[in-house]
Amino acid sequence: MSTHLPNASSSSTPTVPDSPGGRNASSAPPTDATTAAAAAAAGASVPVNPWDVALCVAGTLVSCENALVIALVAHAPAPRAPAFVLIASLAFADLLAGLGLVLNFAVAYAVAEPGVASLLSAGLLISAFSASVLNVLAITVDRYLSLYGALTYHTERAATFTYAVVALAWLTSALLGSLPALGWNCLEDEATCSVCRPVNKSNAAALAVSFLLVFALILQLYLQICKIAFRHAQQIAVQRHFMSASHAASTTKGVSTLSAILGTFALCWVPFAMYSLVADTRYPAVYTYATALPAICSSIINPIIYAFRNPDIQRSLRLACCGCLPYSFASRPRTPSDV
């Protein structure tokens, strides 16, 4: 996925702008990160890039928020239900992404020789953000299947399919994250660096194209979901000889919600993916930061969209905050609206 974003887009790994010219690291001038590492080794004070601080703060917020989601899912009435597995998997991916951003900052400003450490940090970020995007795809597939095959959605076979999809998403993410360590990096040839150092241009382009393909698939699935929802509404209207105002409003609200979810996802990720395809190290680093930060914010938005709208998680949260609810939840089927 083009989820390689913060590892290089955040100059926390050596993607920082040069102090004098405000450009990304190239083969000639040293970056803020390499300068910081050298200064740290010499015991000198290190000037900190405010953008790096913003990314580190965002990573801390992402980690705390998604750790809360995982804790709430663990105390849900049926934590192994497919809906909760998907929510927990997405939260864990975003939790790793947040920790990766904090690690990236530490590598840039506290490690004297960040070569190997930057590869590990980049691999963690690529894996985490790839898993985040793929888990969003898995949730979209779950929503589609729950409408397309409503009669078989709650069977054991459907649950097994959900677990397999989650496992495949994590396996794919791990493979993508291993690419920098396997040689797809620019540590030995700065001229091949993408805007996300130490990821090279080929790796960055492959990740960006992969993300755009995933986004196209998510878009297609949401279009099919909208078609199925309107078809169901029409069938109900034919059976009742009219469509009630409340049912029509509910259908319209559902489509609006899906549109908002898809639009938010696109606004967060598409700019960075497109920028990674066309930009190189000659572009000002501020552009990399400006496109990477919204992508990082997607990990802050995901719990709001997919977790905190779930009724059982809302009750767990209220119970944890004020203990005002008895811990008894009505057993009911999990539907895609829960996810």
Side-chain angles (χ1 to χ4, degrees):
M1 311 290 87
S2 67
T3 41
H4 57 297
L5 48 128
N7 69 311
S9 80
S10 77
S11 69
S12 10
T13 342
T15 302
V16 217
D18 300 329
S19 302
R23 301 247 176 200
N24 281 335
S26 63
S27 54
T31 62
D32 285 348
T34 53
T35 303
S45 60
V46 181
V48 178
N49 188 324
W51 282 101
D52 288 333
V53 175
L55 296 183
C56 184
V57 170
T60 303
L61 178 59
V62 167
S63 300
C64 295
E65 184 182 22
N66 285 281
L68 173 62
V69 171
I70 293 174
L72 292 174
V73 169
H75 289 84
R80 295 185 180 180
F84 288 119
V85 169
L86 290 168
I87 292 175
S89 180
L90 176 60
F92 184 66
D94 288 331
L95 171 63
L96 289 181
L99 294 176
L101 289 170
V102 177
L103 174 63
N104 216 23
F105 182 85
V107 168
Y109 290 97
V111 179
E113 296 294 337
V116 175
S118 68
L119 290 179
L120 296 176
S121 175
L124 174 60
L125 285 166
I126 291 174
S127 296
F129 281 102
S130 296
S132 179
V133 172
L134 290 176
N135 274 288
V136 170
L137 174 61
I139 290 174
T140 308
V141 171
D142 178 78
R143 286 176 164 169
Y144 172 75
L145 292 178
S146 69
L147 292 175
Y148 183 77
L151 296 178
T152 59
Y153 175 73
H154 300 292
T155 64
E156 187 67 28
R157 184 176 180 181
T160 303
F161 175 78
T162 300
Y163 303 147
V165 167
V166 170
L168 180 61
W170 279 101
L171 177 60
T172 303
S173 302
L175 291 175
L176 291 173
S178 67
L179 292 180
L182 293 177
W184 286 42
N185 62 72
C186 61
L187 294 182
E188 296 182 357
D189 185 3
E190 295 283 343
T192 64
C193 282
S194 68
V195 293
C196 300
R197 191 182 188 277
V199 177
N200 62 21
K201 294 177 183 177
S202 299
N203 193 359
L207 291 168
V209 170
S210 299
F211 165 77
L212 293 174
L213 291 175
V214 169
F215 175 70
L217 180 56
I218 292 175
L219 177 61
Q220 179 63 26
L221 286 171
Y222 272 124
L223 289 175
Q224 294 301 319
I225 289 172
C226 291
K227 289 180 180 179
I228 294 173
F230 279 118
R231 186 165 62 246
H232 286 179
Q234 290 174 351
Q235 290 173 350
I236 293 174
V238 169
Q239 292 174 357
R240 298 180 179 178
H241 304 293
F242 73 96
M243 179 182 292
S244 65
S246 60
H247 190 79
S250 176
T251 302
T252 303
K253 181 181 178 181
V255 173
S256 299
T257 300
L258 293 181
S259 300
I261 292 173
L262 183 62
T264 301
F265 184 77
L267 287 175
C268 287
W269 279 107
V270 171
F272 183 76
M274 297 301 297
Y275 182 75
S276 299
L277 280 175
V278 302
D280 56 33
T281 54
R282 295 171 298 176
Y283 284 61
V286 66
Y287 295 163
T288 304
Y289 286 113
T291 54
L293 194 55
I296 295 168
C297 287
S298 68
S299 294
I300 299 176
I301 298 172
N302 283 340
I304 300 173
I305 293 177
Y306 299 106
F308 296 139
R309 293 171 61 243
N310 181 286
D312 288 343
I313 290 181
Q314 289 176 358
R315 293 169 186 168
S316 294
L317 182 59
R318 286 195 294 267
L319 178 64
C321 290
C322 59
C324 57
L325 289 178
Y327 199 82
S328 58
F329 299 94
S331 178
R332 59 182 180 81
R334 270 34 182 195
T335 68
S337 61
D338 293 334
V339 185

